[in-house]
């Protein structure tokens, strides 16, 4: 294996020109895109632009090779097989696909948690019948999850790997054990977890996993759905059309092999290739080192923020996601003033309205999220900006 | 510290001017009015919520109040609006347009905060519709 490059933060930051002017602390919403990823996308469009799996010419061959190579990289990254990786447009689309197919094939009852992002809540709620495991210290309360499984014949459990509000990291090994004990399937929303922690789907024994390219240095427009191959072979497709078939007559059709059975129509080719490059970028640094870097900054940020009078912090300290409110100031005003100080943060209900309203008893919050390209200086700027907010509203 | 993070900036486009903050911290006409026209309006993006009460007699606004919670812009704009419409003839009320509200607020809002500034005006529009019925 190639020796990993040093964690050279100055070098890394040069790949993200946005950082020159902004303390970007909103990677939880979407991460920045490094130059090599942008180059890979450009390379496709300028030098081998072609459709995949259809064109027989050389360009089509190269495009297909690169597209499938991206699939292989993603599979390696999460310890899966390439045929278990389906390209979608986003986490949201991956979860919708599952909600349609699984509620059709395994019954409508689904167990979620109170912590879920709307994209892992609304599809199940609308297509199935959802119940919600409570939370404890910003994570899924596994005791309550057990209780729900005991008292229901639900065959589907879908929870987040890492919360986009509390930053809480769930114990997937434990959750999959509990779930499988009751012969249910475990779906994991990895939108936040995969970019920050990586995942090993075999170790954690996860049945399905959804995540997005744009939160892990990749472009928008591409997401991933992982599924165990024996399950993917069994479940019904979600979108019908070209590429996903092996044979079509006027009367009926037969499905293509996995994973293509789930990839109807022309996929986001350039974005998938870009995501492959993003995984290379992460691997070159190493996901463990990325996590250590984020953790160190998180400790520093929490230490500094806790000193601010009138701040309320909702995060449990598990990860680089820190939600907070400032007494007497609406999050929208916080973010406007911080933005004037060139600090980018997220505010609002964070697409987790039920949790924010019913559990945190707030209508909105502010959120700082830290990623591999952030520095102590970014945190200092954020803290100074929060002090500025307090000054304006004193 | 760079110019942008200098805590003493007060730019041309400063939206947290003294009077906005004053209306936010000391909202005028905060409360409910029984037996009046009332309308709730919310902005799901940031969770602003206002409930506007307007009482009209003999074609004239004799009282206006509000309750709600939200950002400084939405709350200050609502507070200002209640002051502005008190005593107004119904015919004038109907003519109150977006530009009048923006002028009343008096600070540049930008696209994102526009919704906050116009929240109570949207409630007022609905009240006017109800009154017309
Ligand atoms: C936990 C979680 N799940 C799902 C999503 C949805 O991701 P996307 O908008 O890329 O579909 C997000 C991001 O917004 C998230 O944080």
């Amino acid at each position: 294996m190639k020796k990993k490059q040093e964690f050279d933060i100055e070098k890394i930051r040069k790949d993200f020109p946005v950082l020159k002017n902004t303390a970007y602390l909103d990677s939880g919403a979407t991460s920045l895109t490094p130059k090599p990823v942008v180059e890979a996308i450009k390379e496709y469009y300028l030098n081998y632009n072609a459709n995949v799996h259809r064109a027989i010419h050389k360009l089509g061959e190269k495009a297909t090779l690169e597209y499938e190579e991206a699939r292989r990289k993603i599979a390696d990254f999460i310890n899966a097989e390439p045929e278990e990786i389906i390209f979608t447009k986003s986490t949201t689309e991956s979860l919708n696909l599952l909600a349609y197919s699984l509620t059709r094939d395994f019954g409508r009852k689904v167990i979620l948690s109170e912590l879920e992002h709307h994209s892992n809540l609304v599809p199940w709620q609308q297509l199935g019948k959802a119940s919600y495991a409570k939370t404890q210290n910003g994570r899924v309360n596994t005791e309550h999850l057990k209780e729900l499984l005991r008292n229901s014949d639900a065959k589907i459990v879908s929870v987040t790997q890492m919360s986009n509000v509390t930053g809480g990291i769930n114990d997937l090994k434990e959750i999959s054990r509990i779930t499988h004990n009751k012969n249910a399937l475990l779906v994991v929303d990895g939108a936040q977890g995969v970019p920050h922690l990586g995942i090993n789907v075999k170790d954690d024994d996860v049945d399905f996993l959804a995540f997005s390219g744009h939160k892990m240095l990749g472009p928008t427009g591409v997401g991933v759905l992982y599924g165990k191959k024996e399950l993917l072979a069994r479940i019904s497709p979600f979108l019908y059309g070209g590429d996903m078939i092996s044979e079509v007559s006027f009367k009926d059709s037969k499905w293509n092999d996995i994973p293509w059975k789930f990839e109807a129509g022309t996929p986001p080719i350039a974005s998938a290739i870009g995501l492959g490059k993003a995984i290379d970028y992460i691997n070159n640094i190493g996901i463990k080192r990325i996590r250590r870097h984020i953790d160190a900054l998180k400790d520093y940020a929490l230490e500094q923020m806790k000193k601010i009078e009138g701040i309320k912090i909702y995060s449990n300290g598990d990860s680089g996601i820190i939600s907070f409110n400032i007494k007497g100031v609406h999050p929208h005003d916080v973010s406007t003033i911080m933005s004037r100080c060139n600090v980018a943060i997220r505010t609002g209900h964070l697409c987790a309205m039920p949790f924010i309203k019913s559990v945190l008893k707030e209508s909105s919050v502010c959120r700082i999220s830290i990623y591999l390209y952030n520095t102590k200086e970014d945190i200092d700027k954020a803290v100074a900006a929060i002090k500025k907010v307090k000054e304006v509203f004193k | 510290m760079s110019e942008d993070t200098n805590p003493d900036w007060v730019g041309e486009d400063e939206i947290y001017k003294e009077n906005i903050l004053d209306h936010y911290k000391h909202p005028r006409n905060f409360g409910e009015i029984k037996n009046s026209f009332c309308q709730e309006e919310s902005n799901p993006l940031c969770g602003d919520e206002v409930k506007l009460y307007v009482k009209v007699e003999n074609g004239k606004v004799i009282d206006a109040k509000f309750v709600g919670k939200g950002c400084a812009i939405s709350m200050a704009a609502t507070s200002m609006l209640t002051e502005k419409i008190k005593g107004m003839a119904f015919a004038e009320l109907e003519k109150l347009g977006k530009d009048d509200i923006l002028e009343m607020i008096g600070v540049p809002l930008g696209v994102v905060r526009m919704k906050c500034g116009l929240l109570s005006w949207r409630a007022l529009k609905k009240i006017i519709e109800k009154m017309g019925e």
Side-chain angles (χ1 to χ4, degrees), chain A residues 369-388:
Chain A
S369 50
I370 302 167
Y371 208 26
L372 61 96
Y373 36 65
N374 289 121
T375 57
K376 252 177 141 169
E377 286 71 46
D378 291 336
I379 307 292
D380 289 340
K381 279 188 191 159
V383 170
I386 294 172
K387 288 183 179 155
K388 171 72 190 167

Side-chain angles (χ1 to χ4, degrees), chain A residues 46 48-49 73-74 97 105 122 128 144 149 202 347 362:
Chain A
L46 296 182
Y48 60 95
N49 191 330
K73 287 175 187 171
I74 293 160
L97 188 158
D105 297 348
V122 185
H144 189 235
L149 273 163
K202 292 220 171 65
T347 52
E362 294 286 352

Side-chain angles (χ1 to χ4, degrees), chain A residues 138 165-166 312-316 323-325 360 362 364-366:
Chain A
V165 181
T166 65
K312 186 156 186 205
I313 294 174
Y314 304 104
S315 298
N316 69 356
S323 299
F324 64 98
N325 263 333
L360 299 185
E362 294 286 352
S364 60
V365 298
C366 310

Side-chain angles (χ1 to χ4, degrees), chain A residues 28-29 90-93 117 119 160 162 164 189 191-192 212 214-215:
Chain A
S90 58
T91 304
T92 304
E93 190 181 87
H117 186 280
S119 73
T160 190
M162 176 173 142
N164 66 315
D189 172 355
Q192 294 295 337
S212 295
H214 71 92
K215 291 190 203 278

Side-chain angles (χ1 to χ4, degrees), chain A residues 115-325:
Chain A
L115 212 50
E116 300 314 310
H117 186 280
H118 295 162
S119 73
N120 192 32
L121 192 157
V122 185
W124 302 108
Q125 174 195 63
Q126 294 300 310
L127 297 163
K129 193 169 171 309
S131 45
Y132 304 90
K134 289 196 182 356
T135 53
Q136 188 178 24
N137 188 23
R139 308 187 192 105
V140 174
N141 178 335
T142 47
E143 287 308 312
H144 189 235
L145 175 65
K146 268 189 216 163
E147 193 181 311
L148 289 178
L149 273 163
R150 212 180 304 124
N151 299 325
S152 136
D153 53 353
K155 288 287 163 257
I156 307 161
V157 171
S158 187
V159 295
T160 190
Q161 181 185 8
M162 176 173 142
S163 161
N164 66 315
V165 181
T166 65
I169 298 171
N170 286 317
D171 183 350
L172 292 182
K173 273 202 182 76
E174 170 71 356
I175 291 176
S176 80
R177 196 183 56 78
I178 298 170
T179 304
H180 293 143
N181 268 345
K182 296 296 282 180
N183 291 319
L185 294 170
L186 178 62
V187 177
V188 171
D189 172 355
Q192 294 295 337
V194 172
H196 289 85
L197 319 167
I199 194 168
N200 184 328
V201 290
K202 292 220 171 65
D203 268 8
D204 290 341
D205 199 10
V206 165
D207 297 303
F208 296 98
L209 170 74
F211 57 100
S212 295
H214 71 92
K215 291 190 203 278
M216 52 190 303
L217 310 182
T220 55
V222 65
V224 173
L225 170 63
Y226 153 83
K228 282 183 184 161
K229 52 183 171 221
E230 57 278 15
L231 288 166
L232 288 181
R234 263 174 76 190
I235 67 173
S236 325
F238 161 65
L239 290 172
Y240 301 103
D243 272 347
M244 55 80 62
I245 46 76
S246 63
E247 209 184 308
V248 179
S249 72
F250 285 121
K251 227 175 138 197
D252 204 3
S253 303
K254 287 198 182 113
W255 312 141
N256 199 340
D257 293 335
I258 61 166
W260 304 288
K261 162 178 149 187
F262 296 98
E263 292 180 0
T266 299
I269 303 166
S271 293
I273 293 168
L275 176 54
K277 198 72 189 172
I279 301 242
D280 287 344
Y281 196 96
I282 289 174
N283 283 338
N284 273 335
I285 302 170
I287 189 78
K288 287 216 176 73
R289 283 158 116 195
I290 291 173
R291 185 174 178 188
R292 276 203 299 276
H293 176 78
I294 296 171
D295 270 351
L297 287 179
K298 172 260 300 179
D299 289 341
Y300 178 69
L302 282 173
E303 188 190 304
Q304 298 301 311
M305 288 168 76
K306 280 178 181 160
K307 287 187 201 153
I308 300 171
E309 212 184 305
I311 200 167
K312 186 156 186 205
I313 294 174
Y314 304 104
S315 298
N316 69 356
D318 276 0
S319 69
I321 291 206
I322 305 175
S323 299
F324 64 98
N325 263 333

